[in-house]
Amino acid sequence: MKLLILVGLLCLSFAQHNPHFRHERTAIVHLFEWRWADIAAECERFLGPKGFGGVQISPPNEHIVLDSPWRPWWQRYQPISYNLCSRSGSEDEFKDMVTRCNNVGVNIYVDAVINHMCGTSGGAGNHSSCGSWFNAGNEEFPSVPYSSLDFNDKKCLTGSGGIENYSEIFQVRDCRLVSLLDLALEKDYVRGKVAAYMNMMIDLGVAGFRVDACKHMWPGDLDNVYGRLHNLNTTWFPSDSKPFIYQEVIDLGGEAISSSEYFQLGRVTEFKYGAKLGNVFRKWHGEKLFYTRNWGEGWDFMSDGNAVVFIDNHDNQRGHGAGGASIITFWDSRLHKMAVGYMLAHPYGVARVMSSYRWDRHFVNGKDQNDWMGPPSNGNGSTKPVPVNPDQTCGDGWVCEHRWRQITNMVIFRNVVKGQPHSNWWDNQSNQVAFGRGNRGFIVFNNDDWDLDVTLNTGLPSGTYCDIISGQKEGNGCTGKQINVGDGGRAHFKISNRDEDPFVAVHVESKL
Ligand code: QV4
Ligand code: CA
């Protein structure tokens, strides 16, 4: 009996760790600032066919609209109401996206901003994405409705009313994060409003949530909110499926609040992952790729079952949040492909790929003055659609890392090797390494300044395989390099350090 109760409790608390991917898929792409109409189209024309498991979307709630700076991306992290009406589109467009993505097996994960509303200096009026009236100074948000009774003001004991010291946990959770009006999540009323917002989207078919700014909310309050959530919509998901929850907690070590406080509630973003792998691929601080032999928990990361991993995110690709200069973004495309390839080949964590837009970077003393710039937009501030070029790349400033052949093919690799162990490790005691995933896939990296030329045990069945980095399998041939695996699973690899992409990957479905 005791055992049964224990098993029951474990199942309950770990239910929210499951992304509910369909068709054995394994990866999430963050389509940062995309319009719902474009996401719906992308699910059908690309993400479904290529085997992406889900999309993280930008916050869908009604948000403030700012003139100075002009329509920054971060205005969407300043909620005005829970109407599904944002820069990305209307409620009808949201519903259409969820339905169409679900119909091709691609999950939608919502970025839920529930710690706060807009900033104190948000003013009064209806400069919001759907024209809802609000008054930031009086803490009035009638479209929810929230009033000054629903905020944490009195609970916060700092002079400024804002977070002044991150080593004081009461401040971090009860005071204002960069002046954002802090919701009193201890109140039943506030919990109810937040849960209703999330439930409305669960009922429409979303599969889960990236919960924003969790460090700034008490785990007990979150537990209460999550406990109110409906099961997923059975049109697309098995009955009794709990929403997937992954919580944004930045914990690079050495802070008063640690990610482990949130593990029993859902998964947590592992920020060490991209920061450390960035150092490794950049070869900073004496790091070498062969040190990643025990990558994952061996590097003091959270346990595998709790982690969501990524190379960069919408904050740290532009100097917000945490991770620092080591973060590798699309601006360093060659390194980015390698680092994302490494992440997707490695079994640790639920992986998320970033998909960005370009902006005019302008550094002054190492700080980008344009880190606020919103997505490619028209003169009236509306977001531009994502056009697809004949070569499958995106136009109009949309980077679409997820469409880069090397990255798309590694998403497929991750699906093909799903459940297989990390195996057949090899290294040259420097920056050349290789590893397999059981007998399903194998990857080799050369991040040294000299050639790699070596015969390795791949664990793969014998045959001729197409490298999915320099090209891929098409019909009966390879468009890039070909790898011959002999009887004992041995294969010869040659990777010049001057190759366009100095890594090679093969899997059983790239076999001729
Ligand atoms: C500024 C000053 C304040 C001042 C205030 C006066 O910084 O000290 O009191 O003016 O009015 C924007 C501006 C910021 C401004 C604030 C309020 O950048 O300068 O305050 O608005 O007007 C995003 C951006 C923030 C942005 C915020 C709201 O990154 O710059 O603030 O949206 O628009 C910590 C947290 C972590 C967080 C990370 C960035 O622990 O949770 O910082 N990450 C998440 C999101 C992130 C988002 C938020 C949290 C807030 O990933 O994108 O912040 O929702 O590490
Ligand atoms: Ca708070």
Side-chain angles (χ1 to χ4, degrees):
M1 186 62 192
K2 266 191 190 146
L3 188 71
L4 270 181
I5 293 177
L6 189 72
V7 171
L9 279 175
L10 276 176
C11 290
L12 256 189
S13 55
F14 285 98
Q16 289 159 178
H17 293 65
N18 181 347
H20 299 297
F21 289 134
R22 285 169 283 159
H23 314 299
E24 301 293 300
R25 297 178 181 195
T26 57
I28 299 173
V29 57
H30 181 193
L31 297 181
F32 177 52
E33 284 284 5
W34 281 45
R35 298 154 68 244
W36 307 151
D38 292 311
I39 296 178
E42 189 70 351
C43 282
E44 294 171 342
R45 71 191 165 200
F46 192 82
L47 302 175
K50 297 294 185 186
F52 283 74
V55 181
Q56 179 183 315
I57 62 168
S58 283
N61 53 274
E62 184 173 14
H63 54 84
I64 200 166
V65 173
L66 297 168
D67 295 335
S68 176
W70 175 256
R71 311 291 189 258
W73 62 268
W74 43 253
Q75 64 184 14
R76 301 187 65 173
Y77 289 88
Q78 302 197 27
I80 295 302
S81 82
Y82 298 133
N83 300 332
L84 294 179
C85 184
S86 65
R87 192 179 198 168
S88 286
S90 66
E91 178 168 349
D92 282 344
E93 288 164 319
F94 181 89
K95 287 181 186 161
D96 183 57
M97 165 186 72
V98 173
T99 302
R100 286 165 62 192
C101 289
N102 275 332
N103 285 345
V104 291
V106 180
N107 294 349
I108 297 292
Y109 304 107
V110 168
D111 194 344
V113 184
I114 59 176
N115 171 65
H116 50 262
M117 300 298 279
C118 68
T120 46
S121 55
N126 32 33
H127 40 283
S128 53
S129 49
C130 264
S132 288
W133 185 89
F134 66 99
N135 183 333
N138 294 343
E139 302 181 322
E140 285 177 89
F141 298 90
S143 296
V144 179
Y146 284 140
S147 73
S148 59
L149 300 172
D150 300 316
F151 294 87
N152 266 334
D153 311 291
K154 293 192 191 66
K155 237 179 141 187
C156 168
L157 301 176
T158 64
S160 64
I163 300 168
E164 295 172 0
N165 182 350
Y166 269 77
S167 57
E168 299 281 343
I169 62 172
F170 287 89
Q171 286 189 26
V172 176
R173 285 165 171 160
D174 296 336
C175 296
R176 294 171 184 161
L177 165 64
V178 292
S179 96
L180 300 162
L181 296 172
D182 204 54
L183 284 167
L185 275 164
E186 69 183 15
K187 285 188 64 177
D188 186 65
Y189 177 77
V190 175
R191 292 169 171 180
K193 285 296 172 190
V194 167
Y197 165 56
M198 296 169 85
N199 277 331
M200 157 176 68
M201 294 184 283
I202 291 172
D203 295 348
L204 291 176
V206 309
F209 303 91
R210 175 252 185 205
V211 185
D212 182 64
C214 285
K215 183 189 285 181
H216 307 282
M217 296 182 279
W218 293 95
D221 292 343
L222 289 174
D223 196 20
N224 182 290
V225 169
Y226 301 162
R228 298 176 187 224
L229 299 183
H230 298 168
N231 288 332
L232 299 187
N233 187 320
T234 51
T235 310
W236 296 290
F237 301 96
S239 49
D240 294 327
S241 302
K242 290 270 164 215
F244 179 44
I245 301 275
Y246 57 112
Q247 306 165 101
E248 188 225 13
V249 180
I250 302 178
D251 176 6
L252 294 170
E255 261 192 64
I257 294 172
S258 108
S259 27
S260 62
E261 294 174 43
Y262 296 83
F263 292 165
Q264 84 276 19
L265 303 173
R267 287 190 183 243
V268 180
T269 49
E270 179 50 279
F271 275 82
K272 290 177 188 163
Y273 195 101
K276 300 273 185 194
L277 204 57
N279 278 326
V280 168
F281 274 100
R282 291 182 190 279
K283 300 184 245 184
W284 286 359
H285 309 299
E287 292 291 3
K288 293 187 168 139
L289 195 50
F290 94 96
Y291 297 154
T292 64
R293 174 184 209 119
N294 62 346
W295 186 241
E297 289 158 19
W299 275 58
D300 201 24
F301 299 165
M302 61 185 74
S303 65
D304 182 13
N306 290 323
V308 167
V309 299
F310 46 95
I311 297 305
D312 61 330
N313 81 348
H314 71 282
D315 284 326
N316 65 18
Q317 72 171 196
R318 47 175 52 67
H320 287 234
S326 76
I327 298 298
I328 298 175
T329 71
F330 69 87
W331 295 106
D332 293 302
S333 59
R334 192 170 185 255
L335 283 181
H336 191 69
K337 286 178 274 182
M338 277 198 274
V340 173
Y342 193 99
M343 170 181 78
L344 291 169
H346 196 280
Y348 176 84
V350 167
R352 179 180 63 190
V353 170
M354 182 68 200
S355 189
S356 319
Y357 58 81
R358 259 175 225 97
W359 70 98
D360 301 322
R361 292 197 298 179
H362 176 57
F363 288 102
V364 176
N365 297 326
K367 160 117 175 65
D368 178 8
Q369 304 302 300
N370 288 340
D371 64 345
W372 56 271
M373 281 190 168
S377 295
N378 302 303
N380 64 1
S382 61
T383 303
K384 284 189 179 173
V386 180
V388 178
N389 300 320
D391 68 357
Q392 297 303 308
T393 60
C394 300
D396 264 353
W398 299 96
V399 183
C400 290
E401 295 93 309
H402 69 286
R403 279 176 168 264
W404 295 358
R405 180 192 64 239
Q406 301 83 344
I407 292 179
T408 312
N409 284 349
M410 286 307 299
V411 167
I412 296 169
F413 179 106
R414 190 173 186 80
N415 293 344
V416 172
V417 304
K418 185 180 181 203
Q420 296 289 318
H422 188 260
S423 53
N424 293 301
W425 175 268
W426 169 85
D427 66 65
N428 70 341
Q429 306 231 315
S430 182
N431 292 293
Q432 300 180 351
V433 307
F435 61 91
R437 295 290 303 279
N439 58 3
R440 305 271 298 161
F442 197 75
I443 192 162
V444 188
F445 292 88
N446 178 11
N447 200 31
D448 271 324
D449 301 326
W450 58 89
D451 290 355
L452 172 150
D453 191 344
V454 66
T455 298
L456 299 173
N457 184 13
T458 63
L460 295 173
S462 62
T464 303
Y465 292 74
C466 298
D467 170 30
I468 59 165
I469 303 303
S470 58
Q472 57 204 359
K473 179 172 138 185
E474 256 162 46
N476 299 321
C478 303
T479 58
K481 292 181 187 171
Q482 230 169 268
I483 304 294
N484 296 306
V485 176
D487 276 342
R490 291 178 74 74
H492 181 233
F493 295 91
K494 198 166 172 165
I495 306 175
S496 165
N497 62 310
R498 292 169 314 271
D499 281 356
E500 187 185 341
D501 297 302
F503 65 119
V504 164
V506 293
H507 58 68
V508 288
E509 285 176 17
S510 78
K511 187 170 168 216
L512 290 182

